[in-house]
Amino acid sequence: MFAAGSTRGVLAAIAEDYTKATGQRFELTFGPAGLLLNRIRKEGGADVYVSANIEHPQRLFREGSGTRPVIFARNRLCVTGRSELGLTQETLLDKLLDPSIKIGTSTPGADPGGDYAWAFFDRAETVRTGAKETLIKNARQLVGGPNSPKLPAGETAIHYYFTQHVADVFIGYCSSHTKISVGTEKPSDVPVTRVEVPQPLAMPINYGLTIPVTSGDAKRKDAAYRFALYLLSPDAQRRLSEYGFLPGGGL
């Protein structure tokens, strides 16, 4: 299974549940969905592909290289910043437009997370003339690209870039790699505030699921279809909220 890096926690948990129930084992490959798409198109190798957008699976479908995609999960866009910035939904755009604020993003084209950040910039322009130019000027593409800096072992992007003063805020998903449970998160030496992007700046974030047509092995193809159906089942969908995702379903 090739899947967007933001699904690392929830898909590993769902795969473990499925293995316990069926004995089916997995090789899980996580990374920027755009880079994974390029790898599938050039080399194949994926039996199941989950992207952080619907466009990449649609591309495989249009090329005859994947099944018609369905929506596995939905997400929302959030901005995480140093607590001292006092981010709120009401102050969010003003804070981001401050020329002294360094905005961290993922890499457009290689990772849908970066595409969503730039779509957010487009929407900001509709409510504040000149906002897009300022936001792009303040933005730094720090993760998700083929040439992105490598993080030290054990570091998260937000913690590392905040402590190194490379970024003051980071635009990303509201979901989490780990289970979201009040009172159990490890204390951070960099206090942060996370704010969901408000309307009319928000946008739909749909995770597409497709079965790439890359294997002639009927047994593997059958196993892929069975797991894809399981991903849309109530048992698997219940897992999504534990990691901050919204349920999927539909085209």
Side-chain angles (χ1 to χ4, degrees):
M1 178 166 60
F2 285 16
S6 53
T7 66
R8 182 184 301 273
V10 69
L11 278 179
I14 292 173
E16 183 178 1
D17 291 343
Y18 192 74
T19 296
K20 287 178 180 177
T22 66
Q24 177 67 57
R25 298 194 174 277
F26 297 84
E27 180 182 329
L28 306 176
T29 299
F30 297 102
L35 298 185
L36 292 178
L37 171 68
N38 292 338
R39 182 170 165 186
I40 291 170
R41 295 177 72 231
K42 291 178 182 177
E43 306 170 12
D47 299 301
V48 178
Y49 173 51
V50 177
S51 172
N53 64 11
I54 199 73
E55 289 77 20
H56 292 339
Q58 283 281 16
R59 182 171 183 177
L60 290 179
F61 172 67
R62 289 194 302 268
E63 293 173 350
S65 301
T67 58
R68 182 183 293 275
V70 295
I71 297 173
F72 159 62
R74 293 176 169 85
N75 212 333
R76 296 151 295 146
L77 199 66
C78 275
V79 178
T80 303
R82 299 173 182 277
S83 289
E84 66 262 26
L85 294 178
L87 290 182
T88 66
Q89 287 194 328
E90 291 73 26
T91 65
L92 181 62
L93 188 54
D94 287 332
K95 296 286 185 181
L96 294 179
L97 289 172
D98 183 334
S100 69
I101 297 298
K102 299 183 286 289
I103 303 171
T105 75
S106 193
T107 306
D111 181 18
D115 297 326
Y116 291 126
W118 255 248
F120 167 73
F121 298 163
D122 287 335
R123 293 192 176 217
E125 182 68 23
T126 67
V127 300
R128 191 83 59 86
T129 302
K132 180 178 179 179
E133 182 180 354
T134 300
L135 291 169
I136 290 176
K137 189 175 180 180
N138 291 355
R140 303 181 177 196
Q141 300 174 31
L142 299 175
V143 298
N147 301 312
S148 296
K150 191 169 182 179
L151 293 173
E155 278 281 12
T156 65
I158 288 176
H159 181 268
Y160 180 72
Y161 289 124
F162 282 10
T163 56
Q164 298 298 310
H165 300 285
V166 175
D168 302 300
V169 299
F170 209 98
I171 300 176
Y173 303 119
C174 295
S175 61
S176 172
H177 290 301
T178 57
K179 276 191 179 184
I180 295 175
S181 180
V182 177
T184 61
E185 291 195 13
K186 181 181 177 182
S188 172
D189 54 352
V190 181
V192 299
T193 301
R194 189 173 66 173
V195 174
E196 184 175 347
V197 170
Q199 297 292 347
L201 302 175
M203 67 210 67
I205 298 178
N206 299 321
Y207 282 59
L209 164 66
T210 186
I211 306 298
V213 185
T214 58
S215 173
D217 187 328
K219 210 170 186 180
R220 285 180 61 169
K221 190 178 295 184
D222 180 65
Y225 274 100
R226 288 177 183 274
F227 182 63
L229 287 173
Y230 178 76
L231 287 174
L232 300 176
S233 72
D235 285 344
Q237 291 286 301
R238 273 193 290 269
R239 281 286 200 178
L240 293 172
S241 63
E242 298 174 9
Y243 293 81
F245 290 89
L246 301 174
L251 303 175

